[in-house]
C-alpha cells in the first residue's frame, strides 16, 4: 500500500521511511506541504499520509484542510506527526481534517498500529463505496441483460429530446422487438430464451457508439437512443442494428438459432417533437409497421405516413 510521508527534516523523513518500508509500505517522501498536497491530489495517489505539522509553505494542518475540500476522490487517512502536545493544538489538527495524530518522538510499534487502524477504515470505506455502486447499478440496470432498465432509458430519452430541441439538433430513437421470440421460448425453453436476450443485448451495444444509450424497454423490446444523429443517418444506423442481429445465428446451449429483429425509427427533427410520450407512440407505430411488413426490417416514423389505426385495435 502507498503511503505519503511529508517532513522537512531529513533525519525524521529517513527514519519514517525505513520503519514503513520494513512494514511493506510503498513510501513516497516529500519535504514540504505543497508537494504533499500535489501527491495527495493525484488520481491514484496514496490514501495514507503521515504529515509533519510544521513545514515550510503549507503546514500539515493546511494540507489536511485542502485535502478535505476534494470531494470527488477516495478518502485519505491522514495522521499528523507533531511535537505539539497541547490539547488545543490536537483539537486544531483534528478540526483541520486529520484523522489521527502522533507526538514526537514516536514509537515504531504505535506508529504501525495506528496505520493499521487507518487501513481498516479505508477498507471499510472501499466496501461501502462498492456496495453503493452495486446498489446504484441494480437500480438502473436490467438484471438479465445488464442494459439500462426501462425507467432509466425513458428518462434519458426525455432528457436528450429536450437538449436537442434546445440546441436545434436531432435525437434518433429506435424501438427494436425480436421476431417470433415466443417460439424460441416455446421450442427451446426459457433458459435458451434468456440466452438469446443476453446475446441480442450484447450485439445492440456493439452496434452503437459508446455515447449512445441502449435499454431494455420490455420483455424482448429494446429502446436505443442515438445522440446527435442526423435524420439522414437514422435509417442507415437502424439498418446496422438490424443487420447486427440477423447477420449471424445466436449461439445457444441448444445450438445456433437464427434470430431477427424488427425496428421502428423516429428522428425528432422530422417532427419537431420533444415529448417523450409522443416519441414513444410514434416509434411504436413504426415498429408495428415493420412487423406488419414481414418483420426483420426497419420502418421510419415519417411525418407524411399516416399512423396505422389497426395498431390500437390489435394491441
Ligand atoms: P413478434 O414477432 O410479433 O414480436 O412475436 P413474438 O413472439 O416475439 O412476441 P410475443 O409478444 O408474442 O412474445 C414475446 C415473448 O417474450 C413472450 C414472453 O414470454 C417472452 N419474454 C418476455 N420476457 C422474457 C424474459 O425475460 N425471458 C424469456 N425467456 N422470455 C421472455
Ligand atoms: Mg417480439
Ligand atoms: Mg414484443
Amino acid at each position: 500500500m502507498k503511503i505519503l510521508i511529508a517532513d522537512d527534516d531529513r533525519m525524521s523523513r529517513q527514519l519514517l521511511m525505513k520503519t514503513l518500508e520494513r512494514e511493506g509500505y510503498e513510501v513516497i517522501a516529500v519535504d514540504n506541504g505543497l508537494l504533499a498536497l500535489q501527491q495527495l491530489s493525484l488520481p491514484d495517489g496514496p490514501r495514507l499520509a503521515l504529515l509533519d505539522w510544521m513545514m515550510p509553505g503549507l503546514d500539515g494542518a493546511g494540507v489536511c484542510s485542502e485535502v478535505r475540500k476534494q470531494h470527488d476522490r477516495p478518502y485519505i487517512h491522514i495522521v499528523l506527526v507533531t511535537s505539539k502536545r497541547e490539547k488545543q493544538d490536537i483539537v486544531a489538527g483534528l478540526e483541520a481534517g486529520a484523522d489521527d495524530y502522533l507526538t514526537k518522538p514516536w514509537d515504531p510499534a504505535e506508529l504501525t498500529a495506528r496505520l493499521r487502524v487507518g487501513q481498516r477504515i479505508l477498507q471499510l470505506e472501499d466496501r461501502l463505496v462498492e456496495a453503493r455502486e452495486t446498489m446504484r447499478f441494480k437500480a438502473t440496470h436490467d438484471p438479465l441483460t445488464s442494459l439500462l432498465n426501462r425507467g432509466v432509458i425513458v428518462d434519458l430519452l426525455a432528457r436528450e429530446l429536450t437538449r436537442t430541441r434546445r440546441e436545434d439538433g436531432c435525437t434518433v430513437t429506435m424501438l427494436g422487438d425480436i421476431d417470433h421470440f415466443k417460439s424460441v421460448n416455446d421450442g427451446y425453453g426459457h433458459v435458451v430464451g434468456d440466452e438469446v436476450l443476453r446475446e441480442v443485448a450484447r450485439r445492440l451495444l456493439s452496434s452503437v457508439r459508446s455515447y449512445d444509450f441502449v435499454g431494455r424497454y420490455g420483455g424482448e423490446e429494446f429502446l436505443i437512443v442515438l445522440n446527435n444523429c442526423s435524420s439522414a443517418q437514422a435509417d442507415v444506423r437502424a439498418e446496422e442494428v438490424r443487420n447486427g442481429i440477423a447477420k449471424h445465428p445466436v449461439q445457444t446451449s441448444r445450438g445456433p438459432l437464427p434470430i431477427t429483429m424488427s425496428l421502428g425509427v423516429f428522428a425528432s427533427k422530422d417532427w419537431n417533437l420533444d415529448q417523450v410520450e409522443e416519441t414513444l407512440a410514434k416509434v411504436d407505430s413504426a415498429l408495428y409497421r415493420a412487423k406488419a411488413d414481414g418483420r426483420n426490417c426497419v420502418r421510419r416514423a415519417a411525418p407524411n405516413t399516416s399512423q396505422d389505426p389497426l395498431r390500437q385495435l390489435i394491441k
Side-chain angles (χ1 to χ4, degrees):
M1 175 157 203
K2 278 190 208 162
I3 185 164
L4 177 80
I5 300 172
D7 198 316
D8 56 331
D9 181 72
R10 200 169 64 88
M11 288 293 286
S12 303
R13 224 168 36 237
Q14 287 192 333
L15 195 58
L16 278 171
M17 256 176 109
K18 275 215 186 79
T19 310
L20 295 175
E21 278 173 353
R22 214 180 306 129
E23 287 294 316
Y25 286 100
E26 183 188 332
V27 181
I28 300 162
V30 296
D31 64 3
N32 68 67
L34 287 171
L35 283 178
L37 183 60
Q38 204 177 60
Q39 285 293 330
L40 296 176
S41 308
L42 295 174
D44 62 342
R47 293 186 59 201
L48 262 182
L50 270 178
L51 307 179
D52 184 24
W53 188 306
M54 313 250 252
M55 284 184 291
L58 193 60
D59 65 13
V63 175
C64 285
S65 46
E66 287 304 314
V67 165
R68 296 302 176 228
K69 287 180 193 160
Q70 306 171 348
H71 297 292
D72 53 349
R73 65 182 320 293
Y75 193 78
I76 298 173
H77 187 84
I78 304 177
V79 181
L80 277 177
V81 188
T82 173
S83 45
K84 292 173 177 253
R85 285 163 186 277
E86 296 299 322
K87 261 216 173 72
Q88 74 240 36
D89 293 327
I90 290 160
V91 169
L94 296 176
E95 290 288 347
D99 296 287
D100 198 359
Y101 68 93
L102 269 173
T103 47
K104 288 180 184 175
W106 43 267
D107 171 72
E110 186 183 355
L111 170 75
T112 51
R114 284 183 184 272
L115 290 176
R116 272 197 295 275
V117 172
Q119 285 196 39
R120 280 206 299 275
I121 293 169
L122 292 178
Q123 277 163 9
L124 194 63
E125 200 230 0
D126 288 348
R127 284 212 298 275
L128 284 171
V129 169
E130 202 182 302
R132 187 190 64 197
E133 289 311 310
T134 307
M135 302 262 287
R136 192 176 283 170
F137 190 87
K138 282 188 177 161
T140 50
H141 291 73
D142 164 54
L144 179 71
T145 60
S146 293
L147 293 178
L148 299 171
N149 65 27
R150 183 185 175 113
V152 171
I153 187 79
V154 171
D155 280 353
L156 284 170
L157 171 61
R159 206 186 310 158
E160 278 311 305
L161 288 170
T162 315
R163 189 176 66 83
T164 48
R165 176 73 182 255
R166 198 174 54 233
E167 294 170 1
D168 197 28
C170 179
T171 295
V172 168
T173 309
M174 299 181 198
L175 185 61
D177 184 299
I178 302 177
D179 298 324
H180 302 304
F181 184 63
K182 194 171 173 304
S183 64
V184 174
N185 277 334
D186 292 348
Y188 303 91
H190 262 74
V191 172
V192 172
D194 286 355
E195 288 171 21
V196 170
L197 288 171
R198 275 195 288 266
E199 174 60 12
V200 164
R202 199 192 60 75
R203 291 189 191 184
L204 293 179
L205 277 178
S206 65
S207 22
V208 300
R209 295 164 195 176
S210 56
Y211 46 83
D212 295 326
F213 303 119
V214 183
R216 188 169 178 203
Y217 189 63
E220 24 79 86
E221 293 188 19
F222 300 87
L223 195 65
I224 301 171
V225 180
L226 308 181
N227 305 299
N228 289 324
C229 174
S230 72
S231 160
Q233 276 289 305
D235 292 329
V236 180
R237 300 286 306 277
E239 191 53 34
E240 278 170 13
V241 170
R242 186 203 60 74
N243 189 42
I245 304 295
K247 194 167 50 176
H248 303 296
V250 170
Q251 301 298 330
T252 72
S253 51
R254 297 282 299 274
L257 296 181
I259 298 293
T260 60
M261 175 176 269
S262 303
L263 288 124
V265 186
F266 171 89
S268 62
K269 190 95 179 172
D270 297 350
W271 294 78
N272 254 343
L273 256 186
D274 64 359
Q275 292 302 306
V276 73
E277 294 81 10
E278 286 173 84
T279 299
L280 289 171
K282 296 245 180 308
V283 79
D284 190 51
S285 295
L287 167 62
Y288 178 74
R289 277 197 290 118
K291 291 282 182 188
D293 288 351
R295 295 175 169 79
N296 189 21
C297 61
V298 173
R299 290 294 176 267
R300 173 81 166 261
N304 55 1
T305 329
S306 62
Q307 286 194 41
D308 201 328
L310 270 181
R311 174 76 181 180
Q312 302 312 320
L313 290 174
I314 290 174
K315 264 202 127 178

